[in-house]
Amino acid sequence: LSAEVRRKNVGLLARTFVDGGGLELLVSNIGRLEENVEAEAKGIEDILTLMEALLDLDRAGVLQQTSDNGDEEENKSVSVVALLCKQTLFLSWLFGRIEKKNEIDATATAPTSPVVLKLHASEVLSTILQHEDYSMQRCGVKLSCLPKYTCAFDDLDVKPAAISKSSKNDVEEKDEKVDGMEVLLQSIAVYRKADPQTEVECEFLENTFDALAATLLREDNVENFVEYQGIELMLRCLREKVHSGGGALKVLNFAVSGSARSVSEEAATNITDGNIKGVNDAYKKACETFIQAGGLKVIFPLFMARKGAIPC
């Protein structure tokens, strides 16, 4: 078979799987698998691998080329990322897995160890958040108010026995959402003073920075990033001259460059009396916070090419 025919066949198979509810089935079942059981941990790894493969096929345009009638409108289909964000709680599960503390030593090298699964989850999360459908706000919500992941097989009738009425309401309200922005910032904060000790930790940190930077293309995420003192955390990483400084610099670039993007795309036609109309308030607030936190004093030595100031 020619490469084109193989490509078309793979796209047809993948699209049939997606259209048949395969994504919902995978996400519903991943929550019932236990990492401390080798066979089930392998199942989690396989699901993440399959999700990653579908995302790669979607990004390559393979899933959009499954029709024989030549009709472009027929060939257009909703992206895998859009389906995951709109029809499943996969993002919430990924954030929950990244936030989960490893129960074994971080140097574990088993193919399905918790450390490896955490790394794989960060890779898939980064791929989803960097997709244009999410960054352009075509799907998904801001990270601070993601719905809590629930498995279809969870026993929702089981309630805590000894909880007062008031505290019970507080717990239920807290459990209604997952704060993805807080999860990303806390994952980075671990390395604000120290370098990653293993290659796996280093790769996980890079994936986390990529995911965080991509989320800041959305104004609603920038608001929470500033509110949670994300700018101060990034500047702390730069001041400490640790490995996380390089990623922190990239995140700061995304956080404060939105206003320039707004000017070029929206506000260029709305300049009156010397004032720029249409600059997004969230990015403007990010720039102000950056200045107030002493950001210029931190980044100017980088422009002056002082070797000791350049992050790793």
Side-chain angles (χ1 to χ4, degrees):
L1 297 178
S2 65
E4 183 63 28
V5 173
R6 290 198 300 270
R7 175 187 174 93
K8 186 175 182 180
N9 289 341
V10 171
L12 179 61
L13 176 63
R15 176 50 62 186
T16 301
F17 175 81
V18 172
D19 292 343
L23 296 178
E24 294 90 332
L25 184 62
L26 291 177
V27 176
S28 295
N29 280 275
I30 197 172
R32 64 191 297 206
L33 302 177
E34 298 291 340
E35 293 181 10
N36 56 357
V37 179
E38 180 63 25
E40 296 188 9
K42 182 63 166 59
I44 297 176
E45 176 70 10
D46 290 342
I47 290 176
L48 292 174
T49 300
L50 179 55
M51 287 291 193
E52 197 170 23
L54 290 172
L55 290 169
D56 288 341
L57 289 174
D58 189 32
R59 182 170 50 186
V62 174
L63 299 186
Q64 283 74 34
Q65 301 177 10
T66 60
S67 176
D68 291 325
N69 56 19
D71 188 350
E72 292 185 1
E73 292 299 323
E74 284 290 328
N75 288 338
K76 290 183 179 179
S77 57
V78 180
S79 70
V80 173
V81 169
L83 290 174
L84 287 173
C85 291
K86 293 178 179 179
Q87 300 180 9
T88 76
L89 299 174
F90 190 49
L91 271 181
S92 300
W93 183 89
L94 289 173
F95 278 114
R97 182 59 196 86
I98 290 175
E99 185 181 25
K100 183 178 179 181
K101 295 186 181 299
N102 300 318
E103 298 178 354
I104 63 175
D105 188 73
T107 59
T109 58
T112 54
S113 70
V115 176
V116 174
L117 292 178
K118 182 176 182 178
L119 172 61
H120 203 169
S122 70
E123 292 173 351
V124 176
L125 177 65
S126 177
T127 300
I128 292 175
L129 296 181
Q130 291 182 74
H131 194 278
E132 61 178 358
D133 279 357
Y134 181 81
S135 62
M136 299 298 291
Q137 300 190 31
R138 297 170 186 164
C139 64
V141 297
K142 63 180 182 178
L143 296 187
S144 63
C145 58
L146 293 172
K148 180 186 176 183
Y149 175 82
T150 55
C151 175
F153 304 93
D154 286 342
D155 187 2
L156 300 179
D157 294 329
V158 177
K159 302 294 183 180
I163 300 181
S164 64
K165 185 175 180 180
S166 59
S167 61
K168 182 177 179 180
N169 292 335
D170 293 338
V171 171
E172 289 178 349
E173 182 178 356
K174 180 179 180 180
D175 289 344
E176 286 178 356
K177 67 177 183 178
V178 173
D179 196 332
M181 179 62 69
E182 183 178 0
V183 172
L184 292 178
L185 292 177
Q186 287 182 348
S187 299
I188 292 173
V190 175
Y191 303 100
R192 68 187 183 278
K193 291 184 178 180
D195 291 330
Q197 299 300 310
T198 66
E199 184 177 347
V200 171
E201 287 186 45
C202 184
E203 190 173 350
F204 169 77
L205 181 60
E206 295 301 325
N207 291 336
T208 304
F209 273 122
D210 289 341
L212 179 58
T215 65
L216 298 181
L217 290 172
R218 293 179 53 135
E219 184 180 5
D220 50 2
N221 286 328
V222 175
E223 294 176 0
N224 293 117
F225 176 74
V226 175
E227 178 185 354
Y228 295 171
Q229 298 184 338
I231 289 179
E232 288 83 353
L233 175 61
M234 298 303 112
L235 291 175
R236 178 67 178 274
C237 293
L238 286 170
R239 290 191 183 100
E240 296 293 338
K241 301 182 179 65
V242 291
H243 180 83
S244 58
L249 192 61
K250 176 172 62 177
V251 169
L252 286 173
N253 177 47
F254 277 77
V256 302
S257 62
S259 57
R261 197 160 48 241
S262 299
V263 171
S264 61
E265 295 178 358
E266 302 175 4
T269 59
N270 296 316
I271 301 179
T272 58
D273 300 329
N275 296 321
I276 301 177
K277 308 294 184 181
V279 176
N280 294 336
D281 291 338
Y283 292 109
K284 180 180 179 181
K285 179 64 175 179
C287 292
E288 294 173 348
T289 303
F290 177 78
I291 299 297
Q292 294 170 0
L296 295 179
K297 183 177 180 180
V298 175
I299 65 169
F300 276 173
L302 304 182
F303 293 124
M304 298 170 65
R306 291 182 184 173
K307 184 177 179 179
I310 300 176
C312 300

